[in-house]
Amino acid sequence: MDSDQIKRKARYEHISHNLEFASQLYKKAANSLQSGEDDQHYYSFVKEANHLIDEAFPERLVAQKQQVTAKPSVGFDWKLFLKVLIPIILVLITLLILVFSGTTGDMTKSWNSEEIQKNTAYPKTAP
């Protein structure tokens, strides 16, 4: 036998020994529970048997997952800045195009105070 097989054989013997002893402890716990003894006595058997099983199968233990925490970003976040800035610029450009194309009124006309009074007179007189 090579060294790997010897190590596996020793590991399997260790596992079988732990499981055999854990089985005996579970039987003692069942007898203790049946006879109505103190719960602490029962739990000590179960706790020790569970420890032996965990020792026999270390891969059975599940490592706790690390909490995911938000990491502060280093430097300025240009993506967020551009996501906000580009729509604002597009709206302003659209408004300027509408104003200067004449769809919102004639902005090139100069108004004097007489024309304003004439156009806003109330009630209007018939021409």
Side-chain angles (χ1 to χ4, degrees):
M1 284 198 302
D2 62 348
S3 64
D4 287 339
Q5 289 177 341
I6 294 171
K7 287 179 185 178
R8 275 191 293 177
K9 182 179 182 268
R11 170 143 170 72
Y12 293 150
E13 288 174 354
H14 177 70
I15 290 172
S16 67
H17 174 71
N18 282 354
L19 292 179
E20 182 181 351
F21 193 58
S23 174
Q24 291 173 3
L25 288 173
Y26 282 130
K27 285 179 184 176
K28 286 182 182 179
N31 291 338
S32 170
L33 188 63
Q34 189 176 14
S35 66
E37 291 183 21
D38 186 23
D39 283 345
Q40 292 297 329
H41 193 64
Y42 159 75
Y43 286 127
S44 67
F45 289 132
V46 172
K47 185 176 179 182
E48 190 175 346
N50 288 342
H51 177 69
L52 285 172
I53 291 175
D54 290 341
E55 185 180 314
F57 301 107
E59 63 273 3
R60 182 174 165 259
L61 296 176
V62 178
Q64 293 180 353
K65 293 182 179 178
Q66 292 182 351
Q67 294 282 339
V68 177
T69 56
K71 295 179 183 177
S73 60
V74 179
F76 189 73
D77 189 10
W78 284 99
K79 288 183 181 179
L80 179 63
F81 180 71
L82 291 176
K83 284 182 182 178
V84 172
L85 187 63
I86 288 175
I88 291 172
I89 290 174
L90 290 176
V91 168
L92 290 176
I93 289 173
T94 305
L95 290 175
L96 284 173
I97 289 171
L98 290 175
V99 166
F100 288 115
S101 68
T103 57
T104 58
D106 189 7
M107 300 301 285
T108 60
K109 191 173 188 181
S110 61
W111 295 90
N112 58 25
S113 60
E114 292 173 4
E115 290 177 349
I116 292 175
Q117 289 175 358
K118 180 177 152 186
N119 290 330
T120 59
Y122 183 80
K124 288 191 171 186
T125 56

